[in-house]
Amino acid sequence: MAAYNTISSFTRAFLPRASRLSRPRCAPPASCPIRSQSPRYLSCTVARRTENTDEERKWSTPLAKQLADAIMITGPIPLASYMRMCLTGDIGGYYTGLIEEGRDQFGLKGDFVTSPEISQIFGELVGIWFVTEWLSQGKPKKGVELMELGPGRGTLMDDVLRTIQNFKDFAQSIETIYMVEASPTLREAQKALLCGPDAPMTESKNGYHSVSKYGNIPIVWTESVRSVPDDPNNMPLIVAHEFFDALPIHAFESVKVASQPKSAPTGTPTSTPESSPSRSTAPATNDKDSGPTFEWREFVVSPTPPDATHASLNIPKSEQQDPIPDFQLTLSAAPTNHSRYLPESSPRYRALKHTPGSVIEVCPDATMYAADIAARIGGTPDRPRPRPAGAALILDYGPADTIPVNSLRGIQRHRRVNPLSAPGLVDVSADVDFTAIAESATKVSEGVEVHGPVEQAVFLSQMGIRERAEMLTRAPGVSEERAADIGRSWRRLVDRGPGGMGKVYKAMAILPEKDGKRRPVGFGGSI
């Protein structure tokens, strides 16, 4: 294959001058806001017991009632448990337990619009990125596996597969496509798009199976990444777009407490008027070494009091037209199991412990997925590989080099809502800790290195988004209206203004370790 000086010339040489006809028009940014960073509602409201009344409390959704009933038995639950139930619970989970018939989470008729829905070019460039990694790693003739974590409606993978048909040798090297998807409804939508609405889907102990309409490549759906086979002789090419932001987080705050005897009871995590997080109840001692110490306390979820008001919950004025949320965040009165070990898992967190009021967000699931990705690419002592091979591309939003804080958000019908309201009907997400992902990947496997994160605008620009858009607009038969739509769409993806997708969203790559001698395309490298 000929050498190309830039990825833009590479893209122009191989991608056809045709747009995806099924792409819906992109609405103006104001009508479909992205999930940008903003303050979270960490009100340290003192939890009050619900008084028995003759009339049973009415909850906004069946899932809200299930959560409230569970909390009545167990006490306040970690934020991570709340998020997990809201997103993937069996009873009315946002992705897994359809409450509203015909509901679609994605697109203009849903709750939010993602980059692949905005412009086909996004998925095309992800496909090109896979091709460049395949070229850089010796162009293996077989054993390539594509994997997507959280595929949504399948739009991204559809654009990837359509694009790589222009690279016959690469397309023929792909043995299997794995889609990690927990939602039965979304699995059906993905199958219809990638295989055809009438294509059969069979079930086995390994997952659900069908065949792609692009080159008859087998597609396997699994509910967990652990169900995806890990063949050490294969090359996994993995993409995770807006996947990590939906993983449950734990939130903690450092508090200053008086020293207490080691034999003193630790108490319960439930906040009470007598043990507010701002007032320590730890007994003073006469021990000569006694003095203030610092502890991590966990933010937990409990029902809002029946008489709660927007003001008492510190809800912003912009959301006071909405009903009172079903739940609230409170700070545990004593250390919890999670607060004892999760904030101690990284020196980044430990460095903040002695600063009272420091708030951190920790996502154990993210480190687990990062570790699995690293093991598949670089190998580990428990999962050895003959040599590192493969690549992973992570595209999501969050700070580039700081710990996320105050990032919990709720989105419904393209507008910001309280994330603790209408469980199962609201998309709940949080910023991604890219540094934690990098730490986990490099700690687990010595065979990988991490590049980025870089702003999405930088990644897409280096991949040739402008040049690809110009190809599409100049294609025969493209109307002025369609050309203008193409222009608006790609510019929105690289917008670096306040809250712009090109600035808020980041790209990170996990690759075989090369001692930093090779930078991948999109991260300062070239073919």
Side-chain angles (χ1 to χ4, degrees):
M1 182 172 289
Y4 293 87
N5 293 329
T6 65
I7 190 62
S8 302
S9 61
F10 183 82
T11 301
R12 286 195 297 268
F14 285 94
L15 288 189
R17 294 176 177 272
S19 61
R20 183 180 60 206
L21 298 179
S22 60
R23 171 69 61 199
R25 291 190 60 198
C26 177
S31 65
C32 41
I34 65 169
R35 291 169 283 176
S36 58
Q37 296 169 315
S38 66
R40 185 184 61 202
Y41 315 117
L42 290 180
S43 63
C44 295
T45 308
V46 172
R48 286 173 278 178
R49 295 186 179 276
T50 303
E51 307 238 351
N52 292 328
T53 61
D54 294 335
E55 182 178 353
E56 185 178 0
R57 178 170 178 174
K58 293 182 179 179
W59 301 96
S60 60
T61 65
L63 179 56
K65 184 179 187 307
Q66 183 191 39
L67 284 165
D69 290 344
I71 292 172
M72 284 290 292
I73 299 172
T74 66
I77 60 175
L79 176 58
S81 299
Y82 175 83
M83 289 184 67
R84 196 181 306 278
M85 288 293 293
C86 286
L87 296 175
T88 58
D90 293 335
I91 299 179
Y94 184 78
Y95 290 109
T96 54
L98 205 59
I99 295 178
E100 299 173 326
E101 187 175 351
R103 174 179 167 205
D104 190 351
Q105 297 93 341
F106 308 93
L108 298 179
K109 295 182 180 180
D111 294 321
F112 54 85
V113 177
T114 62
S115 295
E117 305 289 340
I118 292 173
S119 173
Q120 69 180 62
I121 305 176
F122 185 88
E124 291 175 346
L125 297 183
V126 171
I128 292 291
W129 192 84
F130 281 157
V131 174
T132 62
E133 281 306 309
W134 174 76
L135 289 170
S136 299
Q137 297 183 42
K139 300 187 291 185
K141 297 183 182 300
K142 62 179 181 179
V144 175
E145 299 171 337
L146 298 188
M147 184 195 307
E148 183 174 3
L149 305 178
R153 290 195 299 197
T155 306
L156 174 58
M157 184 58 75
D158 186 64
D159 286 336
V160 168
L161 295 178
R162 174 176 52 79
T163 298
I164 64 178
Q165 297 309 301
N166 297 287
F167 305 87
K168 300 301 181 185
D169 291 343
F170 175 58
Q172 291 173 5
S173 72
I174 300 173
E175 290 190 356
T176 311
I177 301 164
Y178 291 99
M179 308 284 276
V180 180
E181 179 57 69
S183 167
T185 303
L186 290 178
R187 279 199 300 267
E188 284 293 332
Q190 295 157 17
K191 190 272 297 181
L193 180 62
L194 300 176
C195 309
D198 299 324
M201 176 184 277
T202 60
E203 184 178 359
S204 74
K205 64 179 182 179
N206 296 322
Y208 303 85
H209 305 257
S210 193
V211 178
S212 168
K213 63 187 180 184
Y214 299 104
N216 295 321
I217 305 172
I219 302 181
V220 180
W221 283 265
T222 68
E223 296 185 1
S224 167
V225 71
R226 293 173 179 171
S227 301
V228 177
D230 183 11
D231 188 333
N233 297 306
N234 285 353
M235 171 187 280
L237 297 175
I238 305 166
V239 62
H241 174 252
E242 289 205 53
F243 171 76
F244 282 88
D245 67 281
L247 298 178
I249 63 166
H250 292 264
F252 306 97
E253 181 175 334
S254 174
V255 298
K256 189 175 183 179
V257 297
S259 294
Q260 59 185 17
K262 292 183 179 181
S263 59
T266 57
T268 67
T270 306
S271 296
T272 64
E274 290 76 24
S275 57
S276 168
S278 60
R279 298 189 303 272
S280 171
T281 57
T285 72
N286 294 323
D287 192 328
K288 185 169 62 175
D289 296 328
S290 66
T293 61
F294 300 89
E295 294 178 343
W296 289 106
R297 300 289 175 85
E298 184 169 10
F299 284 99
V300 291
V301 177
S302 60
T304 52
D307 58 349
T309 65
H310 292 95
S312 68
L313 296 176
N314 296 330
I315 295 175
K317 289 185 178 180
S318 61
E319 294 179 9
Q320 291 189 5
Q321 75 275 14
D322 296 329
I324 298 293
D326 299 281
F327 299 94
Q328 64 183 345
L329 279 177
T330 60
L331 199 60
S332 63
T336 65
N337 289 334
H338 293 116
S339 71
R340 288 188 176 95
Y341 73 87
L342 285 179
E344 303 298 326
S345 63
S346 169
R348 300 166 64 228
Y349 310 143
R350 294 195 295 269
L352 296 173
K353 183 174 183 178
H354 292 85
T355 304
S358 296
V359 176
I360 60 173
E361 295 172 356
V362 183
C363 183
D365 285 16
T367 59
M368 182 274 289
Y369 277 101
D372 184 86
I373 290 171
R376 291 175 185 274
I377 295 172
T380 66
D382 294 334
R383 297 162 64 178
R385 293 182 59 94
R387 62 180 180 84
L393 181 63
I394 299 169
L395 299 138
D396 226 310
Y397 54 83
D401 54 8
T402 58
I403 301 170
V405 59
N406 296 344
S407 74
L408 185 68
R409 59 179 63 77
I411 295 289
Q412 186 177 33
R413 300 288 187 262
H414 300 284
R415 59 181 292 267
R416 291 292 304 272
V417 298
N418 192 295
L420 301 175
S421 63
L425 293 179
V426 171
D427 173 53
V428 183
S429 63
D431 283 357
V432 174
D433 189 342
F434 285 99
T435 302
I437 292 175
E439 282 185 349
S440 177
T442 53
K443 180 179 180 180
V444 164
S445 175
E446 295 182 354
V448 301
E449 61 186 28
V450 177
H451 295 264
V454 299
E455 292 181 354
Q456 178 171 286
V458 173
F459 174 77
L460 294 178
S461 296
Q462 292 188 17
M463 290 299 301
I465 188 171
R466 177 191 293 272
E467 291 79 5
R468 176 56 177 162
E470 291 174 351
M471 289 177 63
L472 294 178
T473 56
R474 295 171 184 171
V478 175
S479 65
E480 291 185 6
E481 182 181 12
R482 175 59 182 154
D485 181 47
I486 293 171
R488 284 193 299 269
S489 298
W490 81 263
R491 289 186 179 90
R492 183 179 175 193
L493 294 180
V494 298
D495 177 17
R496 299 187 71 252
M501 297 184 76
K503 184 178 182 66
V504 172
Y505 285 75
K506 311 292 192 305
M508 171 178 278
I510 302 176
L511 303 177
E513 203 278 327
K514 295 291 184 182
D515 198 26
K517 295 178 181 178
R518 182 182 74 86
R519 299 188 67 83
V521 171
F523 296 84
S526 60
I527 299 175

